[in-house]
């Protein structure tokens, strides 16, 4: 694989100006391949292809049952390709292959779930009284623009794409320029399964050029973006100006709340997973660990011991537990964030260094900082690296106050042996996703979305299918009585 092309109307295309961008391995920096950099003209062709496919009804006019059969076939093909795709994703992102295999093995479930859900969405018949029948149906929106990131390239693409296509929409997908290979391979699988050419199109390139042209295109009927909060604000403003729906899954600074009655071994293992899975490069990273004062010392010691023992190395090696960061820039930002925190008297519990790992990867040690105060930027700002901070609390109310002390509200986890106590605490959290004795659990049937600066709307579940459709209300007059408003001056009932 030396060159990745655009995918428009079922065909592979170079960019109209032949421009490309390189993709390199975060592990050894070797050149993996070049990817076409779509111009505004290329984006226009892709959106036009999607709009044509929608107008002629080649996909959405098929019965939901037929679309579901195609998506089930796509799920089967995807399951067969997990090993190949996991190696591809690992090469691009640097995430350990054991993580990628585990994550990608779940992805067929999204196509199965949304194919099934689309079949049972049977509409409604509200009671308008005698003489009227009201048929309420959900219809696809048209062309959906999907913007996906580099940290979970296939997972987030499948989450968005499965709902959009199951609902009957056509799609133009723009994956991250850092990890485009998996989404491109996925589209070919969909067409092999029976999705008609032109229904799913892919344009690759930079956000400020290709992405901008896509979200501003006048034929786009919906935007679904995952990315940083500044990007989300810009995209939401564009959608608002055009009065089209938008879903935006943005940043996070997830708290991990460890209550004094928690199983400490389980809580440490859970916090370790929350902090360092994906090398901390995930919007639901357990970036703020809140531990009850009575167990702080023991928790900190156990956590640090396990963090120091994590195996860093070649992400293609199944023994590797933590891979490199995606890029030199990402590591520099991580180093700078930790350096600023320590300069403001945060205490370095473990990590905090660039390790000597064989190879040339952009590694940073799994890091925990304690004695962090709310005035430090590391308390509220995303690092997007293997760095978590620890603070203590004495009451559940104080834990909730600290958990809510963030511009973000995407996710949190609570660790306790008392379910009732956990649910009382959940009620106090201004956060969209809360796990109890778990973290980062995702399922196609479970809504995924946050509050505040973490975005608008939800992925997954019926919420995603609704977001990819519009409601159409048809009222039929079946009354034999003549209605002629202007035939008399007497009052007539018209509502």
């Amino acid at each position: 694989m030396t060159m990745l092309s655009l995918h428009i109307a079922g065909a592979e295309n170079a960019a109209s100006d032949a421009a490309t961008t390189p993709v390199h391995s975060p592990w050894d920096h070797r050149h993996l391949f070049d990817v076409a950099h779509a111009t505004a003209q290329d984006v226009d062709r892709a959106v036009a292809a999607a709009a044509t496919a929608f107008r002629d009804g080649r996909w959405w006019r098929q019965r939901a049952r037929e679309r579901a059969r195609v998506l089930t076939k796509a799920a089967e093909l995807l399951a067969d390709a997990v090993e190949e795709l996991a190696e591809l994703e690992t090469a691009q992102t640097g995430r350990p292959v054991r993580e990628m295999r585990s994550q990608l093995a779940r992805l067929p479930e999204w196509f199965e779930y949304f194919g099934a859900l689309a079949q049972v969405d049977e509409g409604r018949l509200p009671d308008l009284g005698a003489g009227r029948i009201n048929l309420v149906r959900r219809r696809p929106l048209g062309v959906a623009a999907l913007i996906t990131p580099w940290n979970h390239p296939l997972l987030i693409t499948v989450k968005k794409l499965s709902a959009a296509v199951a609902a009957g929409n056509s799609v133009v997908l723009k994956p991250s320029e850092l990890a485009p290979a998996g989404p491109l391979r996925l589209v070919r699988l969909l067409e092999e399964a029976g999705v008609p050419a032109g229904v799913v199109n892919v344009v690759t390139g930079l956000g400020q050029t290709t992405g901008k042209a896509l979200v501003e295109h006048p034929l786009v009927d919906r935007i679904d973006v995952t990315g940083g909060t500044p990007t989300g604000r810009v995209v939401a403003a564009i959608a608002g100006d055009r009065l089209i729906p938008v879903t935006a899954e943005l940043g996070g600074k997830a708290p991990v709340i460890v209550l004094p009655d928690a199983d400490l071994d389980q809580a440490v293992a859970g916090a370790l997973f929350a902090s360092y899975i994906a090398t901390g490069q995930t919007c639901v990273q357990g970036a703020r660990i809140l531990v009850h004062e009575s167990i702080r010392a023991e928790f900190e010691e156990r956590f640090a011991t396990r963090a120091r023992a994590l195996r860093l190395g070649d992400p293609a090696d199944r023994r590797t537990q933590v891979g490199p960061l995606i890029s030199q820039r990402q590591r520099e930002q991580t180093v700078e964030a930790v350096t600023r925190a320590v300069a403001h008297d945060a205490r370095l519990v473990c990590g905090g260094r660039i390790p000597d790992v064989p190879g040339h990867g952009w590694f940073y040690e799994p890091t925990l900082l304690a004695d962090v105060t709310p005035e430090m930027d590391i308390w509220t700002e995303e690092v997007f690296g293997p760095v978590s901070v620890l603070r203590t609390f004495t009451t559940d109310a104080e834990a909730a106050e600290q958990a809510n002390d963030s511009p973000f509200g995407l996710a949190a986890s609570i660790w306790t042996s008392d379910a009732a106590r956990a649910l009382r605490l959940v009620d106090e959290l201004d956060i969209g996703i809360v796990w109890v004795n778990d973290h980062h659990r995702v399922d196609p049937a479970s809504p995924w979305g946050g509050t505040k600066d973490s975005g608008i709307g939800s992925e997954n579940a019926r919420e995603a299918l609704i977001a990819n459709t519009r409601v159409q209300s048809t009222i039929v007059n079946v009354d034999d009585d003549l209605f002629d408003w202007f035939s008399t001056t007497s009052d007539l009932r018209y509502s």
Side-chain angles (χ1 to χ4, degrees):
M1 183 189 303
T2 57
M3 171 66 184
L4 297 180
S5 301
L6 313 176
H7 190 89
I8 300 174
E12 306 299 312
N13 297 261
S16 57
D17 62 358
T20 63
T21 56
V23 177
H24 293 95
S25 162
W27 157 243
D28 57 13
H29 312 325
R30 64 189 167 92
H31 177 254
L32 297 174
F33 42 77
D34 294 311
V35 60
H37 187 277
T39 64
Q41 179 184 345
D42 298 319
V43 170
D44 184 63
R45 286 193 299 122
V47 176
T52 297
F54 187 76
R55 282 195 300 268
D56 67 28
R58 68 187 71 168
W59 177 244
W60 75 265
R61 287 190 184 277
Q62 293 186 38
R63 293 181 67 189
R65 188 172 303 166
E66 295 303 320
R67 296 200 302 269
R69 288 186 178 125
V70 172
L71 294 181
T72 298
K73 177 62 175 177
E76 294 169 357
L77 294 174
L78 182 55
D80 291 340
V82 162
E83 290 292 338
E84 168 204 346
L85 290 170
E87 292 176 4
L88 190 58
E89 295 282 83
T90 291
Q92 295 177 111
T93 66
R95 286 188 63 177
V97 71
R98 67 188 291 259
E99 283 186 28
M100 296 313 307
R101 287 180 70 251
S102 177
Q103 184 179 92
L104 300 193
R106 296 282 317 280
L107 299 193
E109 298 174 30
W110 268 260
F111 289 116
E112 295 165 347
Y113 173 83
F114 279 106
L117 188 61
Q119 294 181 76
V120 300
D121 192 34
E122 297 177 335
R124 294 179 286 128
L125 288 171
D127 183 6
L128 298 193
R132 301 292 187 276
I133 295 175
N134 186 190
L135 172 62
V136 180
R137 295 178 295 170
R138 302 208 70 88
R139 310 297 296 272
L141 289 165
V143 177
L146 311 183
I147 313 292
T148 61
W150 52 262
N151 58 333
H152 302 287
L154 270 172
L155 171 63
I156 293 175
T157 296
V158 167
K159 285 166 70 176
K160 297 182 187 304
L161 191 59
S162 56
V165 173
N169 295 292
S170 295
V171 166
V172 180
L173 166 68
K174 196 210 84 68
S176 167
E177 68 278 6
L178 298 177
L184 280 163
R185 178 77 177 92
L186 175 67
V187 173
R188 292 196 293 273
L189 287 178
L190 285 168
E191 291 183 354
E192 183 181 345
V195 175
V199 172
V200 181
N201 307 273
V202 186
V203 290
T204 50
L206 302 178
Q208 60 266 37
T209 53
T210 307
K212 183 174 185 291
L214 178 56
V215 299
E216 290 180 347
H217 199 285
L219 294 182
V220 165
D221 300 293
R222 162 172 160 73
I223 304 172
D224 190 347
V225 59
T226 294
T229 297
T231 298
R233 291 187 191 281
V234 172
V235 171
I238 292 168
D241 185 61
R242 292 198 48 231
L243 297 179
I244 61 173
V246 60
T247 297
E249 200 264 89
L250 309 174
K253 194 77 175 179
V256 176
I257 305 170
V258 184
L259 298 177
D261 57 12
D263 179 311
L264 204 53
D265 286 336
Q266 185 183 41
V268 168
L272 201 74
F273 172 81
S275 297
Y276 305 131
I277 193 73
T279 319
Q281 299 170 118
T282 175
C283 51
V284 296
Q285 182 209 12
R288 298 181 299 148
I289 303 174
L290 308 178
V291 181
H292 193 271
E293 176 61 37
S294 65
I295 57 173
R296 193 262 325 151
E298 188 174 2
F299 178 95
E300 187 179 297
E301 180 182 357
R302 292 194 194 186
F303 184 98
T305 298
R306 292 205 56 186
R308 293 186 189 103
L310 292 174
R311 183 190 296 268
L312 283 63
D314 183 352
D317 185 338
R318 302 201 177 199
R319 296 171 299 173
T320 295
Q321 295 173 308
V322 178
L325 290 156
I326 188 68
S327 65
Q328 180 178 11
R329 179 179 175 223
Q330 198 65 39
R331 186 171 72 178
E332 288 172 352
Q333 291 176 344
T334 302
V335 170
E336 291 166 3
V338 173
T339 300
R340 284 196 306 273
V342 171
H344 287 87
D345 297 326
R347 176 168 53 89
L348 191 61
V349 178
C350 63
R353 297 183 306 121
I354 296 174
D356 183 17
V357 177
H360 306 285
W362 305 117
F363 285 95
Y364 194 75
E365 287 183 340
T367 298
L368 180 66
L369 295 164
D371 302 338
V372 169
T373 65
E375 292 73 32
M376 298 179 188
D377 58 21
I378 203 165
W379 173 248
T380 54
E381 295 180 10
E382 277 191 296
V383 175
F384 231 64
V387 179
S388 290
V389 302
L390 184 147
R391 291 188 68 193
T392 61
F393 62 89
T394 55
T395 67
D396 291 9
E398 186 183 356
E401 182 180 1
Q402 291 189 41
N404 289 331
D405 182 23
S406 170
F408 302 109
L410 182 57
S413 60
I414 300 170
W415 298 83
T416 178
S417 59
D418 185 339
R421 184 178 188 179
L423 292 176
R424 289 194 297 270
L425 182 52
V426 167
D427 285 345
E428 304 305 315
L429 299 180
D430 185 9
I431 290 171
I433 310 161
V434 184
W435 297 281
V436 176
N437 296 329
D438 206 347
H439 199 99
H440 208 162
R441 184 71 54 181
V442 62
D443 190 271
S446 180
W448 182 281
T451 64
K452 299 185 285 189
D453 286 1
S454 288
I456 304 168
S458 290
E459 297 178 327
N460 297 341
R462 190 165 184 269
E463 284 79 359
L465 197 68
I466 290 172
N468 276 283
T469 58
R470 61 180 175 85
V471 69
Q472 184 179 51
S473 181
T474 304
I475 301 171
V476 182
N477 180 0
V478 295
D479 198 333
D480 287 334
D481 292 341
L482 175 67
F483 178 83
D484 187 349
W485 178 261
F486 292 108
S487 66
T488 177
T489 57
S490 301
D491 290 343
L492 295 176
R493 180 174 179 177
Y494 66 95
S495 61

